[in-house]
Amino acid sequence: MRKPNLSSIKQAKVITPAKDLATLEAELAEQANNLEVNLEDTVLRLSDYLSAVDMVIKQTFNHRVWVKAEIRNLSSKGGHYYFELAEKDDDGKVIASCRGNLWRFKAARVLAKFERATGMPLDRDLTVLLKVSAGFHAQYGFSLTIEDIDPSYTLGDLARQYAEMVDRLTGEGLLHLNQQLPIPFDIEHVLVIAPEKAAGLGDFQADADRLASTGACHFHYHNATFQGNHAPAEIRQAIVSAQQQFYDTYQRLPDLLVIIRGGGAVGDLAYLNDYELAALVAEQPVPVWVGIGHERDKVILDEVAHTSFDTPSKVIAAIGSHLAQLVSQTLQYQAQIKQAAQRQLNTAEQQTARQLSQIQSQTIGQLTALRKDSDYAWRNIQQSAQRQVKQAIRLTSELRVQTQTSAEQQLVTAATYSQNHQKSVMQNAQQQVIQAQRDSEHLRDIVLLHRPSRVLKQGYTMLTDTKEKKILTSSTQLSPEQTVHIVLKDGKAKAQIIDVSTDQKATETSDIPT
């Protein structure tokens, strides 16, 4: 294979960024036509062809330009950072993608500037504005070399996303939904969602344990990650599972749901600005108190929560304050009730004394009258009782004679009926035994007539599967190249199915219900 003379190829013109896309496409088409004319009769090696592509890219796209893209993936090795960049349409479908490289000698400066400006590390799913230059390698293909990253664009994009979430939650009636719930009268059970072993959780738990030791409040802790791309999904799962677990145990809802996170990097707050998480918090059937551990920056959870606090310590302080206020009100109510009860007791005692005096005077006269009436009533009761006893003795004697006569008649009738029924049962049983013997003999004859050994002796065969566990009776159980066993009266044979044809009429007949 002869090596092409690339020196004779017309050098491509440098396209300046000021030209529009149509002009750029026209000039690239012209260059492609020139290359096609010069190379149409030349056979190139792959490396030579890719070297030519590299030359064209370097001469045509040797400018550094700002490109907006989303980071789909990010990894690092040996101080170098490797990006997977993409552009999506309004439906979230990827319409362009390529690789990007941030080399070690620039990575430290660029990333440090980005983190200082945004307060968060560079990570996947962020939309960034990159200063890039195009590059092509014969072995590794096309990629963009990243020269710089504009942090102000990312901050603006995050602010735009935050504003869109607020507008969407407002339009759906969710932004102030949880805030409309009343504060519980008594905070007895509190669900707490927090990062495991976090410093903020420790501060919260120290005060919470003192409250729990008094029996005034019970805290139920569930852990979730509060930073990283998977943080919103883990927090949502923790909320759902915590609510379900509590309901399964107590058959009721908790009084309060608390979401806390201690102090940390400001950039970690961006992971909590998630619409699905905010919507779930807004739709909770109980008040949600959040303490994310920040003082200036707000997250979307602060917008939708019932009450927002700067730190976890302020959340537990508010719970303690609510319970203390409840105790104080209870003591006040208790004192008021005690005073009112004492006044009512004093009044009742005075009224009782007056009524007792009246009752005593009235009772003496009533007792005298009642004593006379009682003596007269007692004599009447004695006379009436004697008459009723004599009448009862007479009725009892008559009823005993009637009962004895009726019982003797029923015994005679029952004996006659029992003898007749016994004879009928014996006759039916004998007939059934005779019929059962006839049916048994008939079934025995049928079974002996159709036993496999007799059928095989008449010239029939039986097909089974290779394990001889299943008898094949239909063509639907057969398939080409299937191995089957043929059982004969004096032995077995193995066969392979070549073709299977179905008797349509037999199939239709077998499908007719009987």
Side-chain angles (χ1 to χ4, degrees):
M1 180 183 296
R2 63 187 180 87
K3 183 176 181 180
N5 184 10
L6 298 178
S7 61
S8 62
I9 300 176
K10 184 177 180 180
Q11 297 295 320
K13 294 187 295 181
V14 176
I15 301 176
T16 62
K19 296 181 180 180
D20 57 18
L21 183 59
T23 304
L24 180 62
E25 291 178 347
E27 294 187 359
L28 288 176
E30 181 183 355
Q31 295 173 15
N33 291 334
N34 293 335
L35 287 173
E36 183 177 356
V37 171
N38 288 278
L39 297 176
E40 62 182 1
D41 296 328
T42 302
V43 177
L44 299 176
R45 293 185 302 181
L46 177 61
S47 59
D48 294 331
Y49 181 75
L50 295 180
S51 296
V53 173
D54 180 33
M55 179 185 67
V56 171
I57 291 176
K58 285 182 178 178
Q59 293 182 356
T60 306
F61 297 97
N62 62 346
H63 299 84
R64 294 182 177 89
V65 297
W66 288 98
V67 174
K68 180 182 74 172
E70 178 183 321
I71 302 176
R72 298 189 66 192
N73 201 0
L74 177 63
S75 60
S76 64
K77 184 178 181 181
H80 304 299
Y81 287 80
Y82 303 96
F83 295 70
E84 289 184 16
L85 304 173
E87 178 186 351
K88 298 179 180 178
D89 59 14
D90 295 337
D91 297 329
K93 181 180 180 182
V94 176
I95 58 176
S97 64
C98 72
R99 294 182 295 107
N101 305 311
L102 178 58
W103 303 121
R104 178 174 53 195
F105 60 90
K106 289 186 178 181
R109 175 183 60 81
V110 172
L111 296 181
K113 182 182 72 172
F114 183 88
E115 292 187 15
R116 283 196 307 270
T118 62
M120 61 185 299
L122 193 67
D123 205 348
R124 57 183 299 178
D125 296 332
L126 289 178
T127 300
V128 291
L129 187 63
L130 309 168
K131 179 182 281 189
V132 300
S133 59
F136 183 84
H137 192 278
Q139 183 176 357
Y140 301 110
F142 180 80
S143 64
L144 297 178
T145 299
I146 300 173
E147 307 290 341
D148 198 2
I149 302 176
D150 185 359
S152 60
Y153 178 85
T154 302
L155 286 174
D157 185 68
L158 292 175
R160 176 187 58 79
Q161 294 179 11
Y162 187 90
E164 289 177 352
M165 276 191 289
V166 172
D167 292 341
R168 182 178 178 185
L169 291 167
T170 302
E172 295 174 354
L174 298 177
L175 189 66
H176 303 295
L177 181 63
N178 194 260
Q179 298 169 9
Q180 298 173 6
L181 297 175
I183 298 178
F185 173 75
D186 182 19
I187 302 178
E188 182 182 2
H189 291 280
V190 179
L191 290 184
V192 181
I193 309 297
E196 186 176 7
K197 298 180 181 179
L201 175 61
D203 297 338
F204 178 95
Q205 203 164 5
D207 294 334
D209 289 345
R210 285 193 288 271
L211 280 178
S213 64
T214 65
C217 191
H218 303 281
F219 297 87
H220 310 269
Y221 297 93
H222 297 266
N223 301 123
T225 300
F226 273 58
Q227 63 185 49
N229 295 315
H230 53 286
E234 284 199 19
I235 297 174
R236 293 199 306 270
Q237 179 61 35
I239 292 174
V240 173
S241 60
Q243 290 275 35
Q244 185 61 48
Q245 182 178 344
F246 184 87
Y247 188 84
D248 293 341
T249 303
Y250 296 95
Q251 299 301 310
R252 51 160 286 195
L253 293 174
D255 302 297
L256 196 66
L257 173 62
V258 170
I259 303 175
I260 57 174
R261 191 211 74 162
V266 177
D268 294 341
L269 299 178
Y271 298 116
L272 304 180
N273 290 326
D274 179 79
Y275 168 78
E276 298 295 338
L277 175 58
L280 178 64
V281 170
E283 293 173 342
Q284 288 303 299
V286 297
V288 179
W289 289 6
V290 299
I292 304 300
H294 58 90
E295 297 181 356
R296 293 176 299 173
D297 300 315
K298 295 183 69 176
V299 296
I300 198 65
L301 297 185
D302 295 316
E303 305 279 0
V304 299
H306 182 278
T307 308
S308 174
F309 300 89
D310 295 339
T311 63
S313 297
K314 291 183 179 180
V315 178
I316 188 62
I319 295 175
S321 175
H322 179 84
L323 293 176
Q325 183 179 3
L326 179 62
V327 172
S328 177
Q329 290 179 351
T330 303
L331 293 175
Q332 292 177 3
Y333 294 150
Q334 182 181 5
Q336 294 174 3
I337 292 171
K338 186 176 181 179
Q339 293 175 359
Q342 188 62 44
R343 288 195 298 268
Q344 291 179 359
L345 284 173
N346 294 335
T347 302
E349 286 179 356
Q350 295 173 2
Q351 293 177 351
T352 301
R354 289 194 299 268
Q355 292 175 357
L356 180 61
S357 177
Q358 295 173 359
I359 291 171
Q360 285 177 345
S361 60
Q362 293 174 359
T363 303
I364 294 174
Q366 292 176 355
L367 285 175
T368 303
L370 287 173
R371 186 176 295 109
K372 295 179 180 179
D373 294 340
S374 177
D375 293 339
Y376 177 75
W378 175 249
R379 287 193 297 271
N380 290 336
I381 291 172
Q382 284 181 331
Q383 294 173 1
S384 177
Q386 290 174 356
R387 289 194 300 270
Q388 291 178 2
V389 168
K390 291 178 180 179
Q391 185 178 2
I393 292 172
R394 180 175 53 80
L395 292 175
T396 301
S397 178
E398 293 176 356
L399 182 61
R400 180 177 60 81
V401 174
Q402 293 176 1
T403 302
Q404 185 175 1
T405 303
S406 177
E408 291 175 352
Q409 293 175 354
Q410 291 179 1
L411 285 174
V412 173
T413 302
T416 304
Y417 175 78
S418 176
Q419 293 175 357
N420 294 336
H421 183 68
Q422 182 179 7
K423 292 178 181 179
S424 177
V425 170
M426 290 296 294
Q427 292 175 357
N428 290 335
Q430 290 175 355
Q431 292 176 359
Q432 290 178 2
V433 169
I434 294 172
Q435 184 63 37
Q437 289 177 346
R438 293 174 182 173
D439 293 342
S440 175
E441 292 174 356
H442 179 66
L443 291 175
R444 180 198 61 192
D445 295 338
I446 292 175
V447 170
L448 293 176
L449 184 62
H450 291 85
R451 67 184 185 275
S453 59
R454 185 177 182 277
V455 173
L456 293 176
K457 287 180 180 181
Q458 292 178 353
Y460 294 99
T461 60
M462 181 170 60
L463 292 183
T464 66
D465 57 5
T466 56
K467 297 181 179 180
E468 297 186 2
K469 293 184 177 180
K470 185 177 181 180
I471 299 175
L472 307 177
T473 62
S474 173
S475 60
T476 58
Q477 296 176 283
L478 302 177
S479 60
E481 298 184 1
Q482 178 183 358
T483 301
V484 298
H485 284 178
I486 302 174
V487 181
L488 303 169
K489 69 177 183 177
D490 55 354
K492 300 177 183 178
K494 182 184 294 185
Q496 187 175 33
I497 303 301
I498 299 176
D499 188 20
V500 179
S501 61
T502 303
D503 187 350
Q504 187 63 27
K505 293 182 178 180
T507 304
E508 294 175 353
T509 302
S510 64
D511 292 338
I512 297 175
T514 59

